């Protein structure tokens, strides 16, 4: 079901030009053109598991080695990936648009590698490893080979200096997000004139609540996605296509 109004690209470009504040919120779809598997796409599965099976505290408690194998597999793919045009356009908008903020569900760090100066990471970052017992020890694995798959079946579980297991510094299903991060994201959504919702299946909360918060505060919500999502019927505009292409075309009209 397409939305009642299909809005031309140059109308969205006008909204962006006239906006005092623009927020972009991104999901795994923006990294798909970089070759990073999405969660729900055909390539989103890993062996016979889904993110809901592995990205949980229970899975880590029961099979920490398997969870680490999955994260190392993802880190290896991300380490070989490059930011794509979609990431780069959003990085440029941080300086070329009047007031632009970026909120992401992604943990891959590709926005930062594309040059985005400020990235609000709702669900953490796959390159950081932290103490699972909460002693506060955190390690940045982004430059260490140890952080990615040494071998295919690498089920090693890193041990903290306090003796506890260490885990990827990401938010798992059933875990609370950092309240300061959530509050900041909601405040940005409340204050923006345009919210771009890019490459997300709009299923996971509280990230999926951002469009409703923005819309209720008078913002225009623009969805950029290759497919229909639960948000599509409610968006003020739906730009159907790969985010790299759509964002580049939009930028050319600004
Ligand atoms: C919490 C980090 C409470 C880890 C992730 C019932 C109703 C409502 C909510 C719930 C419910 N039951 C449970 C919940 C809560 C749950 C939730 O929302 N579940 C959903 C499934 C119903 N949420 C939580 O658990 C959150 N915490 O609620 O805590 C609480 C409070 C106090 C105390 C304790 C607890 C935590 C959620 C965070 C989970 N962590 N990631 C890791 O990455 O390993 S989630 C992970 O999947 C991502 O971060 C992202 O958020 C999420 C969704 O993925 P997407 O990014 O949208 O990607 P997806 O593959 O789904 O879609 C890709 C899209 O891109 C598609 O639409 C596709 O068409 C499109 N696309 C593809 N290619 C392109 C493209 N678009 C454009 N261009 C392309 N080229
Ligand atoms: Zn520790």
């Amino acid at each position: 079901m397409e939305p009642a109004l299909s809005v031309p690209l140059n109308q969205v470009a006008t909204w962006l030009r006239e906006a005092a504040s623009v927020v972009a919120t991104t999901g795994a779809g923006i990294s798909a053109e970089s070759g990073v598997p999405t969660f729900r796409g055909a390539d989103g599965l890993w062996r016979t598991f889904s993110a809901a099976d592995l990205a949980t505290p229970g899975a880590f408690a029961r099979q920490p080695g398997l969870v680490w194998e999955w994260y190392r597999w993802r880190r290896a793919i991300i380490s070989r990936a490059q930011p794509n045009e979609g990431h780069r356009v959003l990085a440029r908008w941080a300086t070329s648009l009047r007031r632009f903020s970026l909120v992401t569900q992604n943990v891959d760090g590709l926005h930062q590698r594309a040059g985005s100066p400020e990235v609000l990471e709702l669900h953490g970052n796959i390159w950081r490893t932290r103490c699972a017992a909460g002693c506060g020890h955190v390690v940045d694995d982004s430059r260490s080979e140890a952080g990615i798959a040494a071998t295919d079946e690498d089920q090693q579980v890193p041990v903290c200096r306090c003796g506890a297991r260490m885990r990827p510094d990401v938010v798992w299903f059933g875990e609370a997000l950092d309240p300061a991060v959530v509050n900041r994201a909601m405040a940005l959504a409340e204050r923006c004139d345009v919210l771009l919702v890019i490459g997300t299946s709009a299923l996971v909360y509280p990230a999926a609540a951002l469009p409703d918060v923005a819309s209720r505060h008078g913002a225009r919500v623009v969805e950029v996605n290759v497919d229909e999502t639960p948000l599509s019927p409610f968006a003020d505009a739906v730009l159907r296509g790969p985010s790299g292409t759509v964002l580049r075309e939009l930028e050319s009209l600004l």
Side-chain angles (χ1 to χ4, degrees):
M1 172 179 62
E2 284 297 314
L5 62 158
S6 61
V7 171
L9 206 58
N10 56 23
Q11 173 62 72
V12 174
T14 304
W15 292 346
L16 288 178
R17 261 198 311 275
E18 292 171 352
S21 159
V22 174
V23 173
T25 179
T26 62
I30 197 166
S31 297
E33 291 158 82
S34 298
V36 180
T38 63
F39 289 89
R40 286 166 184 80
D43 59 358
L45 290 178
W46 181 67
R47 293 203 204 143
T48 57
F49 300 101
S50 78
D53 301 329
L54 292 166
T56 67
F60 186 71
R62 283 189 304 276
Q63 298 178 286
L66 183 69
V67 171
W68 264 110
E69 192 187 334
W70 179 49
Y71 278 93
R72 286 197 183 93
W73 174 74
R74 289 171 64 193
R75 282 180 171 182
I77 292 172
I78 294 164
S79 65
R80 292 192 295 268
Q82 293 304 319
N84 63 63
E85 197 53 20
H87 296 109
R88 282 195 289 274
V89 168
L90 297 185
R92 289 194 288 269
W93 284 354
T95 43
S96 63
L97 289 183
R98 209 167 309 161
R99 195 150 146 235
F100 177 83
S101 305
L102 177 59
V103 179
T104 188
Q105 298 172 72
N106 297 341
V107 298
D108 58 28
L110 288 178
H111 283 303
Q112 291 91 326
R113 283 175 53 196
S116 288
E118 265 187 73
V119 183
L120 192 59
E121 293 179 312
L122 294 174
H123 299 154
N125 188 297
I126 199 168
W127 292 108
R128 282 195 309 271
T129 298
R130 70 172 163 85
C131 175
C135 81
H137 184 46
V138 183
V139 174
D140 173 357
D141 279 337
S142 55
R143 286 173 182 66
S144 76
E145 280 305 302
I148 57 180
T151 64
D152 270 353
E153 311 288 317
D154 183 353
Q155 293 218 356
Q156 285 167 45
V157 178
V159 176
C160 181
R161 57 191 181 199
C162 76
R165 288 176 181 152
M166 294 192 82
R167 56 169 282 180
D169 189 18
V170 299
V171 179
W172 283 329
F173 288 103
E175 291 188 319
L177 281 68
D178 176 340
V181 170
V182 178
N183 294 339
R184 174 105 180 93
M186 294 298 169
L188 288 169
E190 284 173 11
R191 283 203 297 260
C192 71
D193 304 301
V194 178
L195 178 73
L196 299 165
V197 185
I198 304 163
T200 180
S201 56
L203 292 170
V204 173
Y205 285 80
L210 290 172
D212 184 47
V213 168
S215 177
R216 273 192 288 108
H217 285 80
R220 286 195 170 103
V221 174
V222 179
E223 180 178 59
V224 179
N225 200 310
V226 291
D227 278 343
E228 178 87 5
T229 74
L231 172 66
S232 304
F234 306 101
D236 295 286
V238 173
L239 305 178
R240 188 67 75 228
S243 43
T245 310
V246 170
L247 292 174
R248 187 72 201 87
E249 280 169 18
L250 207 44
E251 184 184 44
S252 68
L253 295 171
L254 289 184

